C-alpha cells in the first residue's frame, strides 16, 4: 500500500507540473505557447516597423500587423481608456507545422475624439515570451497657429466650414470672345460681372468662404506671363471676398480638365512643371501681401494626357503628385506671407474614391500644418444630375432625398473622414451639388446631410457649386437649402 501511495503521489506531482512544462513544449494550438528557440515578434504598419503612432483630435483607426512565433499579448495603461484595441492576446502567427499556413494578426487601434482636451499619450506594450515591443501612441490637439502666429490649415478649414463657389465667372473659356476683353470674358458663360454686393450677401447669409475658380491660359502671353489687366481683375474680385470678411480660395481651374495644358502627363512633366511653376510664382507674388484669408488651390480636376476620368494612365497618379509638390515648392519659394500660406492640393480628377485618395502623396512642406486636400463630390449622381438622368423628367418626377441616397453619400464621406484622420490633414469638398429642379425641401435634406455628416469626426469643409444667392439681385434664391448647408458650420 505504501508503494502504491508513493506512485500516486508521484503521478499527482507530474500532473501538477504539466501546465508549466506545456509553456515551453506544447503545440501551437495550446494557449501560452513559447518556442524552445529564439522568439520573434514584429509590429508593422504598411510594411514598416512602427515605434510611434499619432492620432489627430478627431481620433480614428490604425491597423497594425503583428507576427510572432510565440503566444503574444498586449497591455495598455489603465488611464488610457481613450485607446481601444481589437485584440489583446493570441496564439502564434508563425508556425513550423507544414500543414498550418502562417497568417499575421491584424490589430486595430482606435482613438476616441479628443474634444477640447489637451494632447495625451500612452505606451502600448506588445509582448511575446521575454520579447517586448513598445509603441508610443500620441493624440495631439492640433496647433492653432505656427511660430509666426499664422493660422493653421486645421483652423482655417474649420473656420470656413461651409462656403460657395463664385461659379462660372473668372474660369470661362471659349473661342467666340476676345480674352483681352475682361467684361466679355467674365460674362460669356451667362454670369454677370462679379460685384462687391454679391459677396456681402454671401457673408450676410452666413457663409464663411468663397472659392473663386480662375482660368489663366487665355490671359497669358507667349512667354507665359499673365497679362496685367487679368491679374488686376482677379485681385479685385478676391478683395470683394476679403472686404466681406470671407475666406477666399484662388485656384487654377480650366487650365486642367479635358485638353488642358496642365495635365498629369509623366512623359512631358518637366515642361509642364516649368510652366506651372512660372504661373504660380506670378500668382503668389501678386498676393504675397495678403493675410491668412487668401488660400491657394494648386489645380482643379487634373486629368492625364488622354483625359481619363475613370482611371489614369499608369503614371498619371505619379504625375499629379509631382505637380502637387511643384505647386507647394513654387509658392513657398516666393517667401514672405507665402511661407505660411495655407495651400490646397487635389486628388487626380478631384475624385474622392479610395483609389484616388490612396494614390495621392501629400507634398512635403517647409512648414508643418499648412496643407489641405480637396476632392469634389456629386454623389448621388442621380440627385445632382451629374449623370443627366433628371434632365428630361417633369418636375413631379424629381427624386426625393432617401435613405439609399444617404447610404451612397455616407460611404464616400466615410472615406474622407478616414483619410483626414489617418494623415492629419483637413479635407475640402470644393464642389458638390443638387439639381435645382428638385424640390427645395428635399435639397435642404441633402445639404444638411453633407454638411453635418462629419461633425465631430473629421476636419471637413463643404463648398456648393451653383447659385444659392442671385448674382444680380443678391437675394437668397433658396432659403431652406441655404439653412440646410449652414447647419454644418463649426464642424
Amino acid at each position: 500500500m505504501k508503494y502504491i501511495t508513493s506512485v500516486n503521489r508521484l503521478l499527482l506531482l507530474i500532473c501538477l507540473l504539466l501546465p508549466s512544462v506545456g509553456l515551453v513544449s506544447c503545440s501551437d494550438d495550446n494557449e501560452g505557447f513559447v518556442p524552445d528557440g529564439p522568439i520573434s515578434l514584429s509590429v508593422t504598419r504598411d510594411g514598416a516597423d512602427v515605434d510611434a503612432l499619432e492620432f489627430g483630435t478627431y481620433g480614428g483607426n490604425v491597423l497594425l500587423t503583428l507576427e510572432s512565433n510565440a503566444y503574444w499579448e498586449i497591455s495598455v495603461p489603465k488611464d488610457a481608456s481613450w485607446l481601444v484595441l481589437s485584440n489583446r492576446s493570441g496564439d502564434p502567427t508563425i508556425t513550423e507545422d507544414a500543414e498550418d499556413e502562417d497568417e499575421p494578426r491584424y490589430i486595430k487601434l482606435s482613438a476616441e475624439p479628443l474634444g477640447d482636451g489637451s494632447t495625451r499619450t500612452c505606451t502600448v506594450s506588445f509582448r511575446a515570451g521575454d520579447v517586448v515591443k513598445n509603441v508610443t501612441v500620441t493624440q495631439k490637439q492640433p496647433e492653432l497657429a505656427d511660430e509666426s502666429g499664422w493660422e493653421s490649415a486645421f483652423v482655417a478649414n474649420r473656420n470656413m466650414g461651409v462656403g460657395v463657389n463664385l461659379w462660372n465667372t473668372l474660369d470661362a473659356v471659349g473661342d467666340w470672345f476676345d480674352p483681352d476683353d475682361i467684361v466679355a470674358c467674365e460674362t460669356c458663360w451667362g454670369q454677370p460681372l462679379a460685384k462687391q454686393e454679391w459677396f456681402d450677401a454671401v457673408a450676410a447669409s452666413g457663409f464663411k468662404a468663397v472659392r473663386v475658380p480662375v482660368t489663366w491660359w487665355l490671359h497669358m502671353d507667349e512667354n507665359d506671363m499673365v497679362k496685367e489687366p487679368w491679374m488686376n481683375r482677379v485681385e479685385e474680385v478676391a478683395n470683394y471676398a476679403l472686404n466681406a470678411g470671407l475666406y477666399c480660395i484662388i485656384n487654377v481651374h480650366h487650365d486642367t480638365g479635358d485638353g488642358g495644358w496642365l495635365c498629369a502627363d509623366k512623359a512631358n512633366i518637366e515642361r509642364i512643371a516649368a510652366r506651372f511653376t512660372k504661373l504660380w510664382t506670378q500668382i503668389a507674388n501678386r498676393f504675397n501681401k495678403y493675410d491668412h484669408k487668401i488660400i491657394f488651390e494648386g489645380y482643379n480636376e487634373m486629368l492625364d494626357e488622354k483625359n481619363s476620368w475613370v482611371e489614369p494612365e499608369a503614371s498619371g497618379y505619379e504625375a499629379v503628385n509631382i505637380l502637387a509638390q511643384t505647386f507647394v515648392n513654387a509658392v513657398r519659394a516666393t517667401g514672405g506671407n507665402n511661407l505660411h500660406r495655407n495651400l490646397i492640393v487635389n486628388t487626380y480628377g478631384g475624385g474622392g474614391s479610395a483609389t484616388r485618395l490612396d494614390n495621392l502623396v501629400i507634398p512635403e512642406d517647409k512648414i508643418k500644418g499648412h496643407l489641405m486636400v480637396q476632392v469634389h463630390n456629386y454623389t448621388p449622381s442621380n440627385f445632382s444630375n451629374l449623370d443627366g438622368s433628371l434632365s428630361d423628367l417633369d418636375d413631379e418626377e424629381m427624386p426625393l432625398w432617401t435613405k439609399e441616397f444617404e447610404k451612397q453619400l455616407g460611404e464616400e464621406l466615410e472615406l474622407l473622414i478616414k483619410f483626414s484622420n489617418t494623415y492629419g490633414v483637413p479635407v475640402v469638398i470644393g464642389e458638390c451639388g443638387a439639381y435645382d429642379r428638385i424640390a427645395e425641401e428635399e435639397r435642404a435634406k441633402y445639404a444638411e446631410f453633407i454638411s453635418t455628416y462629419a461633425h465631430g469626426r473629421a476636419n471637413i469643409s463643404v463648398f456648393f457649386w451653383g447659385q444659392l444667392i442671385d448674382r444680380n439681385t443678391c437675394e437668397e434664391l433658396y432659403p431652406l437649402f441655404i439653412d440646410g448647408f449652414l447647419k454644418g458650420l463649426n464642424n
Side-chain angles (χ1 to χ4, degrees), residues 417-452:
I417 290 170
K418 179 181 178 182
F419 179 86
S420 179
N421 291 329
T422 298
Y423 295 100
V425 60
V427 170
V428 180
I429 300 177
E431 295 180 14
C432 68
Y435 192 40
D436 57 10
R437 288 177 54 208
I438 295 174
E440 186 181 356
E441 57 268 27
E442 299 303 317
R443 284 182 286 145
K445 296 173 185 176
Y446 155 80
E448 181 174 353
F449 186 86
I450 194 171
S451 68
T452 64

Side-chain angles (χ1 to χ4, degrees), residues 46-227:
D46 297 330
D49 186 65
V50 60
D51 293 306
L53 295 171
E54 186 174 302
F55 290 95
T57 185
Y58 294 104
N61 304 309
V62 168
L63 196 65
L64 301 181
T65 302
L66 183 149
E67 296 180 281
S68 178
N69 63 348
Y71 176 82
W72 54 270
E73 56 187 351
I74 309 172
S75 61
V76 179
K78 291 182 179 180
D79 60 354
S81 59
W82 53 273
L83 189 65
V84 179
L85 278 67
S86 61
N87 309 77
R88 290 297 186 100
S89 61
D91 292 330
T93 66
I94 303 172
T95 70
E96 296 180 356
D97 190 339
E99 296 181 357
D100 290 341
E101 182 178 354
D102 296 341
E103 294 185 359
R105 182 61 61 89
Y106 298 103
I107 313 295
K108 183 170 76 171
L109 279 70
S110 302
E112 297 177 352
L114 182 57
D116 295 328
S118 57
T119 295
R120 53 194 180 189
T121 187
C122 71
T123 299
V124 179
S125 297
F126 298 78
R127 180 185 299 274
D130 57 357
V131 177
V132 178
K133 166 79 171 179
N134 289 325
V135 176
T136 302
V137 181
T138 303
Q139 186 174 22
K140 287 187 174 182
Q141 192 65 271
E143 297 293 335
L144 301 183
D146 60 29
E147 69 282 354
S148 71
W150 193 279
E151 185 177 80
S152 70
F154 180 93
V155 172
N157 203 45
R158 184 182 64 190
N159 288 346
M160 289 192 296
V162 181
V164 296
N165 280 268
L166 181 59
W167 210 28
N168 298 136
T169 303
L170 299 182
D171 62 326
V173 295
D175 57 5
W176 63 89
F177 59 89
D178 178 3
D180 291 333
D181 183 339
I182 301 298
V183 174
C185 187
E186 195 169 330
T187 59
C188 68
W189 279 6
Q191 298 302 308
L193 289 171
K195 58 184 180 180
Q196 182 66 61
E197 291 81 1
W198 182 81
F199 287 85
D200 292 341
V202 168
S205 289
F207 293 102
K208 303 300 181 183
V210 173
R211 178 173 176 255
V212 177
V214 183
T215 297
W216 300 88
W217 68 269
L218 276 174
H219 312 283
M220 295 160 65
D221 65 20
E222 63 277 7
N223 297 314
D224 292 329
M225 297 299 295
V226 179
K227 297 176 181 179

Side-chain angles (χ1 to χ4, degrees), residues 221-268:
D221 65 20
E222 63 277 7
N223 297 314
D224 292 329
M225 297 299 295
V226 179
K227 297 176 181 179
E228 192 66 14
W230 186 248
M231 186 70 85
N232 289 342
R233 179 55 176 163
V234 173
E235 184 177 14
E236 183 177 32
V237 172
N239 273 306
Y240 292 160
L242 300 180
N243 293 341
L246 299 164
Y247 284 82
C248 178
I249 296 174
I250 300 171
N251 82 348
V252 173
H253 206 76
H254 285 131
D255 299 76
T256 64
D258 290 348
W261 67 269
L262 183 54
C263 63
D265 179 4
K266 182 72 179 338
N268 295 293

Side-chain angles (χ1 to χ4, degrees), residues 323-362:
L323 292 171
Q325 187 67 62
T326 298
F327 159 63
V328 173
N329 293 347
V331 173
R332 296 293 183 238
T334 60
N337 284 349
N338 292 330
L339 288 175
H340 311 272
R341 191 168 307 285
N342 291 317
L343 307 178
I344 300 172
V345 296
N346 292 6
T347 59
Y348 178 88
S353 68
T355 303
R356 300 291 170 87
L357 294 168
D358 289 345
N359 279 283
L360 177 68
V361 176
I362 298 172

Side-chain angles (χ1 to χ4, degrees), residues 227-446:
K227 297 176 181 179
E228 192 66 14
W230 186 248
M231 186 70 85
N232 289 342
R233 179 55 176 163
V234 173
E235 184 177 14
E236 183 177 32
V237 172
N239 273 306
Y240 292 160
L242 300 180
N243 293 341
L246 299 164
Y247 284 82
C248 178
I249 296 174
I250 300 171
N251 82 348
V252 173
H253 206 76
H254 285 131
D255 299 76
T256 64
D258 290 348
W261 67 269
L262 183 54
C263 63
D265 179 4
K266 182 72 179 338
N268 295 293
I269 199 68
E270 291 185 8
R271 173 180 57 80
I272 295 169
R275 190 179 186 191
F276 191 42
T277 296
K278 192 168 187 176
L279 173 57
W280 265 113
T281 299
Q282 295 173 73
I283 301 170
N285 279 329
R286 173 57 70 101
F287 287 93
N288 204 334
K289 62 186 177 182
Y290 290 93
D291 69 8
H292 62 277
K293 285 199 169 182
I294 289 288
I295 296 172
F296 294 155
E297 175 193 328
Y299 47 89
N300 184 47
E301 297 170 341
M302 192 187 300
L303 305 177
D304 62 17
E305 66 274 21
K306 293 185 177 180
N307 300 320
S308 305
W309 279 106
V310 182
E311 279 302 308
E313 294 289 293
S315 59
Y317 286 124
E318 183 182 357
V320 166
N321 293 330
I322 291 172
L323 292 171
Q325 187 67 62
T326 298
F327 159 63
V328 173
N329 293 347
V331 173
R332 296 293 183 238
T334 60
N337 284 349
N338 292 330
L339 288 175
H340 311 272
R341 191 168 307 285
N342 291 317
L343 307 178
I344 300 172
V345 296
N346 292 6
T347 59
Y348 178 88
S353 68
T355 303
R356 300 291 170 87
L357 294 168
D358 289 345
N359 279 283
L360 177 68
V361 176
I362 298 172
E364 296 181 2
D365 199 2
K366 292 181 178 179
I367 188 166
K368 187 177 180 181
H370 288 285
L371 296 181
M372 309 179 202
V373 169
Q374 182 177 141
V375 300
H376 297 167
N377 188 295
Y378 288 96
T379 298
S381 61
N382 51 341
F383 195 84
S384 65
N385 201 33
L386 185 67
D387 60 4
S389 62
L390 305 180
S391 300
D392 296 328
L393 298 181
D394 295 330
D395 288 350
E396 59 270 18
E397 297 176 289
M398 289 295 121
L400 305 178
W401 182 249
T402 64
K403 291 294 182 183
E404 178 57 31
F405 283 157
E406 290 187 356
K407 179 177 181 295
Q408 291 178 37
L409 181 53
E411 288 173 352
E412 296 190 8
L413 296 176
E414 286 292 339
L415 294 176
L416 302 183
I417 290 170
K418 179 181 178 182
F419 179 86
S420 179
N421 291 329
T422 298
Y423 295 100
V425 60
V427 170
V428 180
I429 300 177
E431 295 180 14
C432 68
Y435 192 40
D436 57 10
R437 288 177 54 208
I438 295 174
E440 186 181 356
E441 57 268 27
E442 299 303 317
R443 284 182 286 145
K445 296 173 185 176
Y446 155 80

